Amino acid sequence: MTNATHPFDALMDITVRPEVVFVRGAGSYLWDDNRNRYLDFVQGWAVNPLGHAPAVVAEALSAQAKRLLTPSPAFYNAPSLKLAKMLVDRSCFDQVFFANSGAEANEGAIKLARKFGAKYKNGAHEIITFEGGFHGRTLATMSASGKKAFEPLFEPKVPGFRKAKLNDIESVRKLVSPSTIAVMLEPIQGEAGVWPATDAFMQELRALTQQRGLLLIVDEIQTGIGRTGKLFAYEHAEIAPDIMTLGKGIGGGVPLAALLATEHASCFDHGDQGGTFNGNPLMCAAGIAVLEEVGNPDFLKSVADTGRFLESELQRLSARHGLGGIRGRGLLLALDLKMPIGAAVVAEAFTSGVLINSPQADTLRFMPALNVTREEISAMIDCLDAVLAKVGAARRVA
Ligand SMILES: *Cc1c(COP(=O)(O)O)cnc(C)c1O
């Protein structure tokens, strides 16, 4: 190996990144080291419910950093107790295990389901997941994911996952066997391009899993913490799952995730689960600051209202450019481009100072800060208007 010659070369090359370095963020804006400003509708990948560098999170982190960082996961600490209580009080779950990433929380959910099967269901261990689903990048969570591109990677996979079709209850019923212990899904498939499970499907899944003594696991790593206009997306369907995972937004931008379970499902024995930094007071202090803001009913109502505004603006944009429909809920929305121009639109928008995401070649995804303003939405729409005209014209010439 030669020595790194360019500052970018010392990082493993795991994805295509624009060749700029981001140095500062505030609310809906990011700045690079050339002082260019970007209006950000990616927000760390649906991570920043309060936008970039929110003062409440910065203050919570600095106060906690001066007090106590890590006493040991084998001791209690005050912020983790407080955050667990807040989450339990605001959800249908009774107990929480904190993790450092979404994938780690999902690993915990998979282990908890297998433990439940070992304890109460003759070793049943299979988990039904969904085509198109995304649950993370550890070996087990890649195996649980229904992402086509993952299929040939890192063989052999972790066994025990069977894939059903979203919004097709018969496809789930067919896979249930004496080996099944759980059904696991995202209430809205985020990485697949914002494909919602219908409320009716969520209710059918709850009924089926209850009938057959299976656990229902919701991966709310992308949909949780207010993203869809309710604190948790499962609330839209008025069901109570057995297990939920949270990540992304829960830390307001710092690495924090959580595994929640009802008393019935919470069956780990000592030694089954743990981790050095799990539930450390620094990250939990950030989580408390986030939940105090986002958990406020007025805040959640404003997310739903702003989501409707973004949706109607996207509809008008789509009509002007002859594009397809809008999918999603709250401030997790996608626009169907009807053509594989997603990457071109993202690149052109970047040049114009707007950050958006294209999870599939024909789809744009919008995941702004939950406190994004209508002015910021209008500025983003104006930019997309110009970008779509340009990209559309280039296609017609080509
Ligand atoms: C992002 C995401 C994950 C993985 O979270 P990481 O923190 O990247 O490990 C899992 N599930 C869903 C639904 C996600 O959106």
Side-chain angles (χ1 to χ4, degrees):
M1 283 296 290
T2 55
N3 284 334
T5 51
H6 190 281
F8 298 147
D9 292 346
L11 283 180
M12 286 193 192
D13 186 23
I14 51 117
T15 189
V16 179
R17 295 170 166 134
E19 299 215 334
V20 302
V21 179
F22 287 105
V23 292
R24 188 163 75 85
S28 283
Y29 290 95
L30 269 180
W31 284 264
D32 70 19
D33 56 353
N34 285 317
R35 298 181 176 214
N36 297 308
R37 189 179 80 153
Y38 302 81
L39 177 56
D40 187 3
F41 276 66
V42 173
Q43 286 288 350
W45 226 260
V47 163
N48 304 326
L50 304 174
H52 288 287
V56 287
V57 172
E59 279 156 21
L61 284 169
S62 68
Q64 187 59 45
K66 289 174 202 156
R67 203 171 290 137
L68 177 62
L69 291 174
T70 295
S72 157
F75 300 135
Y76 290 119
N77 73 74
S80 76
L81 292 171
K82 179 169 178 187
L83 183 56
K85 181 76 169 70
M86 288 171 82
L87 288 167
V88 162
D89 285 348
R90 299 297 307 256
S91 71
C92 65
F93 304 97
D94 302 303
Q95 294 197 309
V96 184
F97 172 80
F98 289 111
N100 308 296
S101 73
E104 189 193 2
N106 280 340
E107 285 271 346
I110 292 162
K111 285 170 65 177
L112 189 59
R114 286 188 175 192
K115 180 77 189 190
F116 190 87
K119 261 187 161 167
Y120 307 121
K121 262 200 129 204
N122 296 320
H125 61 276
E126 277 186 5
I127 301 179
I128 298 173
T129 60
F130 289 84
E131 291 173 11
F134 178 79
H135 299 295
R137 292 177 175 281
T138 60
L139 269 179
T141 56
M142 283 182 93
S143 308
S145 297
K147 188 171 162 158
K148 274 269 172 292
F150 282 180
E151 275 172 21
L153 300 178
F154 312 122
E155 291 294 302
K157 289 283 190 310
V158 175
F161 299 98
R162 310 198 62 191
K163 311 284 156 51
K165 288 189 164 52
L166 193 68
N167 294 326
D168 178 349
I169 195 69
E170 282 315 311
S171 76
V172 182
R173 207 186 302 276
K174 267 191 230 151
L175 293 179
V176 176
S177 78
S179 304
T180 312
I181 192 58
V183 175
M184 175 172 181
L185 83 166
E186 308 157 76
I188 299 175
Q189 289 188 342
E191 297 312 299
V194 189
W195 295 99
T198 65
D199 292 343
F201 182 66
M202 296 297 282
Q203 290 156 3
E204 287 171 335
L205 274 183
R206 181 65 287 189
L208 176 67
T209 48
Q210 235 147 21
Q211 256 165 29
R212 307 293 295 263
L214 310 177
L215 301 171
L216 180 61
I217 306 172
V218 286
D219 174 348
E220 295 236 20
I221 289 162
Q222 192 154 145
T223 54
I225 310 296
R227 179 61 48 189
T228 69
K230 300 237 185 230
L231 193 53
F232 308 113
Y234 73 79
E235 295 171 41
H236 291 289
E238 298 182 344
I239 59 162
D242 304 293
I243 295 174
M244 172 170 75
T245 52
L246 297 171
K248 295 202 163 92
I250 189 178
V254 302
L256 177 65
L259 162 66
L260 292 86
T262 60
E263 195 176 1
H264 168 73
S266 186
C267 63
F268 281 138
D269 291 316
H270 288 180
D272 289 346
Q273 185 65 327
T276 302
F277 290 117
N278 297 50
N280 71 79
L282 186 66
M283 296 308 144
C284 289
I288 292 166
V290 169
L291 206 54
E292 275 171 351
E293 296 270 315
V294 177
N296 183 328
D298 291 337
F299 186 96
L300 291 168
K301 185 179 176 302
S302 84
V303 173
D305 291 344
T306 311
R308 276 188 287 273
F309 178 73
L310 174 58
E311 188 174 349
S312 72
E313 291 298 294
L314 287 172
Q315 248 144 15
R316 285 159 34 144
L317 180 81
S318 175
R320 284 198 292 279
H321 295 272
L323 308 175
I326 318 298
R327 301 188 296 268
R329 213 163 203 170
L331 285 170
L332 180 59
L333 295 177
L335 167 61
D336 177 2
L337 295 165
K338 290 209 301 195
M339 297 170 276
I341 56 170
V345 171
V346 167
E348 196 62 45
F350 183 87
T351 309
S352 316
V354 171
L355 306 181
I356 45 170
N357 164 252
S358 170
Q360 302 292 331
D362 62 354
T363 304
L364 294 181
R365 176 171 46 173
F366 304 85
M367 36 193 177
L370 300 185
N371 56 9
V372 66
T373 66
R374 289 179 186 224
E375 291 69 31
E376 287 159 354
I377 288 174
S378 298
M380 182 278 293
I381 293 281
D382 288 348
C383 168
L384 267 192
D385 229 345
V387 165
L388 285 165
K390 194 167 167 187
V391 172
R395 259 182 82 84
R396 278 189 290 279
V397 170

